[in-house]
């Protein structure tokens, strides 16, 4: 099989036979960005959420990662009905923007107080993030089950790139619009992006119904499989990505830094998020093309170095305050490049290191470890900020620690086993794989 050029790959992805995936990218892009933390954290801060508590909101979605451990059991209990399970979970979790919009309206109308709204928001994030995480993981398994390996390598990175592009292109004008609407409407304005997200979340369910049926997907019990135990190369992969995840968890949210520490507007915070997302689009397209004929381990290691540079750029906002806006944008862009390349590389590396239904089991272990590391990091970060307040030294120390941890991850990922490092044909199996870390 000859390798496609980037242009040829995008031309093939644009073929009518992938039309359903185009619709899926549209829906997922709108849902993930307009009901994501680029909008939620500024809204929470506007409702009086303390900065440390805003960071704790980021801990809640990590439960979704650890929830992956139950996926093999759920598939067993549903007789391998991956399609039905995924659609049922998505039907509850993907229209979450409508839940957020209702809560925004109740708070803005004065029907509930700020503390009650924040507690309700925390509950909604906790529940919907678990459901969304399982949905996304199951969709990766679904794509692998219905697409030949050549098409999987074509579709998955481009699906990610288009989804991110759509979300970012919506977030930029939404950021400008929200800054003006908040002055006239107050926190009612935040209901607008949430309503748009919720409507596309409902549309996403229709799109899922149009995907090809993945058939019956059951992960054999661990005791019945010879490849249940991780290999040394897989253990190295787990370890380096877990170290990186700890660094990701320690990193304070850029939204909190921009609004609570640097005193800039929510609109600028959302613009930074949109610029980062657009950068991620370009990075996903570029690295997705390179990954089809390159080393996943080297790309993953490089992503750790890029993330260390991103944290260093954020750290420089204190000695160079006049350049703070430019440095924050640079940090966001570098972090997005590191995230996109790392996500794609970690995803592909797991496919190259593990075959068969065991990918589901090892993916669940991997995601539980990285989610646990991020949870610990975010709890630590929130604790530091709660004790010190939203002051520059605390944030500077946390960004510095995050950069140093990424350097450790970079060093740990040296000299990986060469086997399974280059592109290889992977059987058409229900095998989700994803990466965490930004």
């Amino acid at each position: 099989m000859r390798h496609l050029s980037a242009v040829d790959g995008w031309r093939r992805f644009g073929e009518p036979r992938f039309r359903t995936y185009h619709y899926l990218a549209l829906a997922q892009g709108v849902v993930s960005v307009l009901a994501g933390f680029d909008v939620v954290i500024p809204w929470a801060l506007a409702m009086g959420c303390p900065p440390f508590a805003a960071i704790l909101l980021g801990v809640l979605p990590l439960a979704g990662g650890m929830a992956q451990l139950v996926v093999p059991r759920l598939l067993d209990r549903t007789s391998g009905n991956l399609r039905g399970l995924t659609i049922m979970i998505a039907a509850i979790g993907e229209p979450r923007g409508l839940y957020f919009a209702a809560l925004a309206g109740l708070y803005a109308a004065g029907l509930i107080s700020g503390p009650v709204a924040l507690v309700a928001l925390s509950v909604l994030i906790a529940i919907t993030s678990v459901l969304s995480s399982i949905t996304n993981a199951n969709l990766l398994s679904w794509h692998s089950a219905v697409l030949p390996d050549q098409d999987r390598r074509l579709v998955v990175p481009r699906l990610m790139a288009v989804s991110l592009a759509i979300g970012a292109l919506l977030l930029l004008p939404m950021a400008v619009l929200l800054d003006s609407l908040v002055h006239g409407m107050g926190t009612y304005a935040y209901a607008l992006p949430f309503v748009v997200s919720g409507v596309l979340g409902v549309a996403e369910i229709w799109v899922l119904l149009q995907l090809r049926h993945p058939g019956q997907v059951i992960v054999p019990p661990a005791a019945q499989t010879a490849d249940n135990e991780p290999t040394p190369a897989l253990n190295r992969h787990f370890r380096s990505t877990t170290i990186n995840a700890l660094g990701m968890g320690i990193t304070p949210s850029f939204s909190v830094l921009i609004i609570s520490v640097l005193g800039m507007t929510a609109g600028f915070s959302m613009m930074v998020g949109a610029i980062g997302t657009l950068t991620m689009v370009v990075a996903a397209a570029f690295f997705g093309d390179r990954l089809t004929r390159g080393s996943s381990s080297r790309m993953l290691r490089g992503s750790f170095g890029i993330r260390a540079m991103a944290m260093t750029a954020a750290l420089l906002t204190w000695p160079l305050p006049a350049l703070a806006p430019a440095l924050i944008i640079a940090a966001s862009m570098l972090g997005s490049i590191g995230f996109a390349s790392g996500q794609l590389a970690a995803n592909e590396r797991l496919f190259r290191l593990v075959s068969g239904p065991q990918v589901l089991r090892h993916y669940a272990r991997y995601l539980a470890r990285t989610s646990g590391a991020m949870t610990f990091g975010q709890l630590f970060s929130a604790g530091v900020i709660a004790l010190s307040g939203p002051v520059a030294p605390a944030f500077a120390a946390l960004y510095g620690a995050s950069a140093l941890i990424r350097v450790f991850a970079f060093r740990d990922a040296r000299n990986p086993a060469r086997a399974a490092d280059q592109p290889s044909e992977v059987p058409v199996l229900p095998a989700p794989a994803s990466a965490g870390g930004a």
Side-chain angles (χ1 to χ4, degrees):
M1 180 192 75
R2 70 178 184 90
H3 291 298
L4 296 174
S5 70
V7 174
D8 288 338
W10 280 102
R11 186 180 294 116
R12 279 194 56 202
F13 181 66
E15 293 174 0
R17 65 193 181 100
F18 294 125
R19 188 74 68 219
T20 305
Y21 292 97
H22 304 162
Y23 298 146
L24 183 62
L26 169 64
Q28 288 185 326
V30 175
V31 170
S32 63
V33 172
L34 294 189
F37 280 97
D38 286 326
V39 180
V40 167
I41 288 183
W43 174 43
L45 293 171
M47 291 193 294
C49 182
F52 81 90
I55 290 173
L56 283 177
L57 288 176
V59 176
L60 300 174
L62 299 178
M66 290 179 275
Q68 297 301 322
L69 291 171
V70 307
V71 170
R73 184 172 299 178
L74 288 174
L75 287 172
D76 182 59
R77 288 182 176 273
T78 58
S79 300
N81 186 7
L82 177 66
R83 181 179 186 270
L85 181 66
T86 303
I87 291 174
M88 179 188 70
I89 293 173
I92 301 172
E94 294 306 280
R96 56 189 176 275
L98 296 178
Y99 316 149
F100 295 161
L103 184 60
L106 290 172
Y107 170 77
L111 298 177
I112 58 175
S113 65
V116 171
L118 290 171
V119 170
L121 175 62
S122 300
V123 172
L124 286 174
I125 291 174
I127 294 173
T128 58
S129 62
V130 169
L131 299 178
S132 180
S133 178
I134 293 176
T135 297
N136 291 333
N138 284 2
L139 280 174
L140 284 168
S141 179
W142 193 334
H143 301 333
S144 183
V146 301
L147 294 172
D149 186 63
Q150 179 181 353
D151 285 348
R152 174 185 63 79
R153 292 180 187 274
L154 177 80
V155 167
V156 172
R158 288 165 181 80
L159 181 65
M160 171 185 171
V162 173
S163 175
L164 291 170
I166 290 169
L169 291 173
L170 272 177
L171 189 58
L172 275 172
M174 190 67 70
V176 176
L177 182 61
L178 270 181
D179 258 358
S180 60
L181 289 179
V182 165
H183 289 298
M185 300 174 57
T187 52
Y188 275 116
Y190 285 97
L192 174 61
F194 294 144
V195 168
V196 175
S197 171
V199 171
L200 268 293
V202 174
E204 184 180 339
I205 310 307
W206 176 84
V207 175
L208 294 180
L209 291 169
Q210 311 309 309
L211 291 175
R212 286 171 50 197
H213 201 298
Q216 187 181 46
V217 180
I218 296 179
V219 181
Q224 296 180 13
T225 56
D227 58 346
N228 180 57
E229 292 303 316
T231 63
L234 189 58
N235 278 328
R236 179 186 292 274
H237 181 60
F238 284 167
R239 187 175 63 244
S240 62
T241 51
T242 300
I243 294 171
N244 172 71
L246 177 63
M248 181 182 178
I250 285 178
T251 305
S253 163
F254 283 165
S255 294
V256 178
L257 170 67
I258 291 167
I259 296 172
S260 297
V261 180
L262 300 179
M264 300 178 185
T265 67
F268 178 74
S269 171
M270 292 172 63
M271 285 182 189
V272 170
I275 291 170
T277 304
L278 285 172
T279 303
M280 201 180 300
V281 172
V282 178
F286 175 76
F287 288 106
D289 178 63
R290 290 194 63 184
L291 196 57
T292 61
R293 52 184 179 272
S295 167
S296 59
S297 60
R298 283 198 297 270
M299 184 180 294
L300 181 62
R301 184 174 180 241
S303 77
F304 299 151
I306 294 170
R307 295 179 226 208
M309 290 190 288
M311 297 302 99
T312 303
L315 185 61
L316 290 175
T317 56
W318 285 278
L320 301 170
L323 299 177
L327 287 169
I328 289 297
I329 291 173
S332 176
M333 293 177 71
L334 285 169
S336 296
I337 293 170
F339 177 80
S341 59
Q343 184 177 40
L344 290 169
N347 178 11
E348 185 61 27
R349 181 137 181 82
L350 193 56
F351 274 115
R352 295 178 187 180
L353 290 172
V354 185
S355 62
Q358 285 307 308
V359 174
L360 272 170
R361 191 183 309 283
H362 287 305
Y363 172 73
R365 290 173 175 172
Y366 156 73
L367 198 54
R369 292 185 189 196
T370 53
S371 297
M374 284 189 284
T375 299
F376 177 82
Q378 290 205 326
L379 290 173
F380 177 82
S381 176
V384 169
I385 293 172
L387 292 174
S388 62
V391 294
F395 276 74
L398 290 169
Y399 284 120
S402 178
L404 187 60
I405 290 171
R406 308 308 175 91
V407 173
F408 287 145
F410 179 86
R411 290 176 59 85
D412 185 73
R414 287 185 303 177
N415 302 320
R418 301 299 299 170
D421 188 45
Q422 299 299 326
S424 59
E425 292 299 315
V426 181
V428 182
L429 293 166
S434 177

